[in-house]
Amino acid sequence: MATTITTKAGGLDAGALHRLLAWLSPAYPVGGFSYSHGLEMAVEEGRVTDRGGLTAYVTTVLRAGAGRIDGALLAAAWRAAAADDAARLDEVAQLAAAWRGTAETALEALAQGAAFTAVTRTAWPEPRFAGFVARHPRALTHAVAFGAAAGFQGVPLRPALAGWLAGFAANLVSAGVRLVPLGQTDGQVATAALLPVVETAADAALAADPETLGTAAPLLDLLSMRHETQYTRLFRS
């Protein structure tokens, strides 16, 4: 008979904690290292030249860009999955797939979503998640796929949401370390400085109503669009 582990860590039981750490690990093959979310063009144009500029860029993404939208959609997907509401979950998935400002941000969200669903269905099988993925082949954003997996598999919403946002921020910081370039310590200082931003973004996502959700960060979209024709590129977005 299997032994049930009841250890608690920050409100998560050991199984939920293990899932969350695995799904957020850089070793989880979603390809986040391939995307800069327009940051590569911002560096090219001299808009981001140091640690402070990098921190400000990521802050804007979390507060007024994709972090604002995807955090709320992750929460909506989690709630639908936890309630076993397939119709609502499908609505959230369709809304998230449509809510992309540029071709490259769509690629960033959907390609990582496809990678996450492929490995999660195999490594952490769950029938309802498998059915959800089958209804939306290669059309799930990373945030919605992550939120649904967490909801179906008992990972509490707040840690899942804050963890996903922190991972998103960390990927952008890592891109900035390579692009500016910055030292690894500068990157970690930036990551530490972003902690209250991540917490605020998580609070906003939990309180958001997907029916009235909106944001505006036009410069981020312009940088993403200009990145499509950037002559020399390291990143896919």
Short mmCIF file of all heavy atoms in Angstrom, two decimals, residues 39 42-43 46-58 172-173 175-177 179-183 186-187 189-190:
data_model
loop_
_atom_site.label_atom_id
_atom_site.label_comp_id
_atom_site.label_asym_id
_atom_site.label_seq_id
_atom_site.Cartn_x
_atom_site.Cartn_y
_atom_site.Cartn_z
N LEU A 39 11.71 42.19 -25.71
CA LEU A 39 12.86 42.79 -25.01
C LEU A 39 14.07 42.90 -25.93
O LEU A 39 14.84 43.86 -25.82
CB LEU A 39 13.19 41.94 -23.78
CG LEU A 39 14.39 42.38 -22.95
CD1 LEU A 39 14.20 43.79 -22.40
CD2 LEU A 39 14.62 41.38 -21.80
N ALA A 42 13.83 46.08 -27.65
CA ALA A 42 14.01 47.18 -26.71
C ALA A 42 15.49 47.42 -26.43
O ALA A 42 15.95 48.57 -26.33
CB ALA A 42 13.27 46.88 -25.41
N VAL A 43 16.27 46.35 -26.32
CA VAL A 43 17.72 46.49 -26.14
C VAL A 43 18.35 47.04 -27.40
O VAL A 43 19.21 47.94 -27.35
CB VAL A 43 18.33 45.13 -25.74
CG1 VAL A 43 19.86 45.23 -25.71
CG2 VAL A 43 17.81 44.68 -24.38
N GLY A 46 18.06 50.68 -27.63
CA GLY A 46 18.62 51.44 -26.52
C GLY A 46 17.64 51.83 -25.45
O GLY A 46 17.92 52.68 -24.61
N ARG A 47 16.49 51.18 -25.43
CA ARG A 47 15.48 51.48 -24.41
C ARG A 47 15.78 50.77 -23.10
O ARG A 47 15.34 51.22 -22.03
CB ARG A 47 14.10 51.08 -24.91
CG ARG A 47 13.63 51.86 -26.14
CD ARG A 47 12.28 51.36 -26.63
NE ARG A 47 11.86 52.03 -27.83
CZ ARG A 47 11.19 53.18 -27.87
NH1 ARG A 47 10.87 53.79 -26.73
NH2 ARG A 47 10.82 53.72 -29.01
N VAL A 48 16.46 49.64 -23.16
CA VAL A 48 16.86 48.90 -21.97
C VAL A 48 18.37 48.74 -22.03
O VAL A 48 18.89 48.06 -22.94
CB VAL A 48 16.17 47.53 -21.89
CG1 VAL A 48 16.71 46.73 -20.72
CG2 VAL A 48 14.66 47.70 -21.76
N THR A 49 19.09 49.36 -21.10
CA THR A 49 20.55 49.36 -21.15
C THR A 49 21.20 48.91 -19.84
O THR A 49 22.43 48.76 -19.79
CB THR A 49 21.07 50.78 -21.47
OG1 THR A 49 20.63 51.68 -20.45
CG2 THR A 49 20.57 51.25 -22.83
N ASP A 50 20.40 48.70 -18.80
CA ASP A 50 20.98 48.35 -17.51
C ASP A 50 19.95 47.58 -16.69
O ASP A 50 18.83 47.32 -17.14
CB ASP A 50 21.46 49.59 -16.76
CG ASP A 50 20.37 50.65 -16.57
OD1 ASP A 50 19.17 50.31 -16.69
OD2 ASP A 50 20.71 51.81 -16.29
N ARG A 51 20.35 47.23 -15.47
CA ARG A 51 19.47 46.44 -14.61
C ARG A 51 18.18 47.18 -14.30
O ARG A 51 17.09 46.59 -14.29
CB ARG A 51 20.21 46.10 -13.31
CG ARG A 51 19.43 45.15 -12.41
CD ARG A 51 20.22 44.86 -11.16
NE ARG A 51 20.22 45.99 -10.24
CZ ARG A 51 21.19 46.29 -9.39
NH1 ARG A 51 22.29 45.55 -9.38
NH2 ARG A 51 21.09 47.31 -8.58
N GLY A 52 18.27 48.47 -14.05
CA GLY A 52 17.06 49.23 -13.75
C GLY A 52 16.09 49.24 -14.91
O GLY A 52 14.88 49.11 -14.73
N GLY A 53 16.61 49.38 -16.12
CA GLY A 53 15.75 49.36 -17.30
C GLY A 53 15.10 48.00 -17.50
O GLY A 53 13.93 47.90 -17.88
N LEU A 54 15.85 46.94 -17.24
CA LEU A 54 15.31 45.60 -17.36
C LEU A 54 14.19 45.38 -16.34
O LEU A 54 13.11 44.85 -16.68
CB LEU A 54 16.42 44.57 -17.15
CG LEU A 54 15.99 43.10 -17.11
CD1 LEU A 54 15.32 42.68 -18.41
CD2 LEU A 54 17.20 42.22 -16.80
N THR A 55 14.42 45.80 -15.10
CA THR A 55 13.40 45.64 -14.07
C THR A 55 12.13 46.41 -14.43
O THR A 55 11.01 45.92 -14.26
CB THR A 55 13.93 46.11 -12.71
OG1 THR A 55 15.12 45.38 -12.40
CG2 THR A 55 12.92 45.90 -11.61
N ALA A 56 12.31 47.62 -14.97
CA ALA A 56 11.15 48.43 -15.37
C ALA A 56 10.39 47.78 -16.51
O ALA A 56 9.15 47.80 -16.54
CB ALA A 56 11.62 49.83 -15.78
N TYR A 57 11.10 47.18 -17.47
CA TYR A 57 10.45 46.53 -18.60
C TYR A 57 9.60 45.36 -18.12
O TYR A 57 8.42 45.23 -18.50
CB TYR A 57 11.51 46.04 -19.59
CG TYR A 57 10.96 45.55 -20.90
CD1 TYR A 57 10.86 46.40 -22.00
CD2 TYR A 57 10.53 44.23 -21.06
CE1 TYR A 57 10.35 45.96 -23.22
CE2 TYR A 57 10.02 43.78 -22.27
CZ TYR A 57 9.94 44.65 -23.34
OH TYR A 57 9.43 44.21 -24.54
N VAL A 58 10.18 44.51 -17.28
CA VAL A 58 9.45 43.34 -16.80
C VAL A 58 8.27 43.77 -15.93
O VAL A 58 7.19 43.17 -15.97
CB VAL A 58 10.38 42.37 -16.05
CG1 VAL A 58 9.61 41.16 -15.56
CG2 VAL A 58 11.53 41.94 -16.95
N LEU A 172 12.17 36.44 -18.59
CA LEU A 172 12.52 37.72 -19.19
C LEU A 172 13.81 38.29 -18.60
O LEU A 172 14.62 38.87 -19.33
CB LEU A 172 11.37 38.72 -19.01
CG LEU A 172 10.07 38.38 -19.73
CD1 LEU A 172 9.06 39.51 -19.58
CD2 LEU A 172 10.31 38.09 -21.21
N VAL A 173 14.00 38.12 -17.31
CA VAL A 173 15.26 38.56 -16.70
C VAL A 173 16.42 37.79 -17.31
O VAL A 173 17.47 38.37 -17.64
CB VAL A 173 15.22 38.39 -15.18
CG1 VAL A 173 16.61 38.59 -14.57
CG2 VAL A 173 14.23 39.38 -14.55
N ALA A 175 16.60 36.51 -20.26
CA ALA A 175 16.82 37.05 -21.60
C ALA A 175 17.59 38.37 -21.52
O ALA A 175 18.52 38.62 -22.31
CB ALA A 175 15.49 37.25 -22.31
N GLY A 176 17.23 39.22 -20.55
CA GLY A 176 17.91 40.50 -20.40
C GLY A 176 19.37 40.35 -20.01
O GLY A 176 20.23 41.10 -20.49
N VAL A 177 19.66 39.37 -19.17
CA VAL A 177 21.05 39.11 -18.78
C VAL A 177 21.88 38.82 -20.02
O VAL A 177 23.03 39.28 -20.15
CB VAL A 177 21.11 37.95 -17.77
CG1 VAL A 177 22.54 37.44 -17.60
CG2 VAL A 177 20.56 38.41 -16.42
N LEU A 179 21.06 39.69 -23.21
CA LEU A 179 20.96 40.70 -24.25
C LEU A 179 21.67 42.00 -23.91
O LEU A 179 22.27 42.63 -24.80
CB LEU A 179 19.48 41.00 -24.54
CG LEU A 179 18.69 39.92 -25.27
CD1 LEU A 179 17.20 40.19 -25.17
CD2 LEU A 179 19.13 39.86 -26.73
N VAL A 180 21.61 42.48 -22.67
CA VAL A 180 22.10 43.83 -22.37
C VAL A 180 23.59 44.01 -22.66
O VAL A 180 23.95 44.98 -23.35
CB VAL A 180 21.69 44.22 -20.94
CG1 VAL A 180 22.34 45.55 -20.54
CG2 VAL A 180 20.15 44.36 -20.85
N PRO A 181 24.51 43.15 -22.17
CA PRO A 181 24.35 42.03 -21.23
C PRO A 181 24.54 42.50 -19.80
O PRO A 181 25.09 43.56 -19.55
CB PRO A 181 25.47 41.09 -21.66
CG PRO A 181 26.57 42.02 -22.11
CD PRO A 181 25.87 43.22 -22.74
N LEU A 182 24.14 41.63 -18.88
CA LEU A 182 24.32 41.88 -17.45
C LEU A 182 25.00 40.67 -16.81
O LEU A 182 24.98 39.58 -17.37
CB LEU A 182 22.97 42.11 -16.76
CG LEU A 182 22.15 43.32 -17.22
CD1 LEU A 182 20.77 43.26 -16.60
CD2 LEU A 182 22.84 44.62 -16.88
N GLY A 183 25.55 40.87 -15.64
CA GLY A 183 26.11 39.74 -14.90
C GLY A 183 25.00 38.93 -14.25
O GLY A 183 23.87 39.39 -14.07
N ASP A 186 23.55 40.61 -11.18
CA ASP A 186 22.58 41.65 -11.54
C ASP A 186 21.22 41.03 -11.87
O ASP A 186 20.17 41.57 -11.51
CB ASP A 186 23.08 42.45 -12.75
CG ASP A 186 23.92 43.65 -12.36
OD1 ASP A 186 23.74 44.14 -11.23
OD2 ASP A 186 24.75 44.08 -13.18
N GLY A 187 21.25 39.91 -12.56
CA GLY A 187 20.00 39.23 -12.88
C GLY A 187 19.24 38.80 -11.65
O GLY A 187 18.01 38.94 -11.57
N VAL A 189 19.54 40.15 -8.65
CA VAL A 189 19.07 41.36 -7.96
C VAL A 189 17.78 41.85 -8.60
O VAL A 189 16.82 42.25 -7.91
CB VAL A 189 20.15 42.45 -7.98
CG1 VAL A 189 19.59 43.78 -7.46
CG2 VAL A 189 21.36 42.03 -7.15
N ALA A 190 17.72 41.82 -9.93
CA ALA A 190 16.49 42.21 -10.64
C ALA A 190 15.34 41.28 -10.27
O ALA A 190 14.21 41.73 -10.03
CB ALA A 190 16.73 42.20 -12.14
#
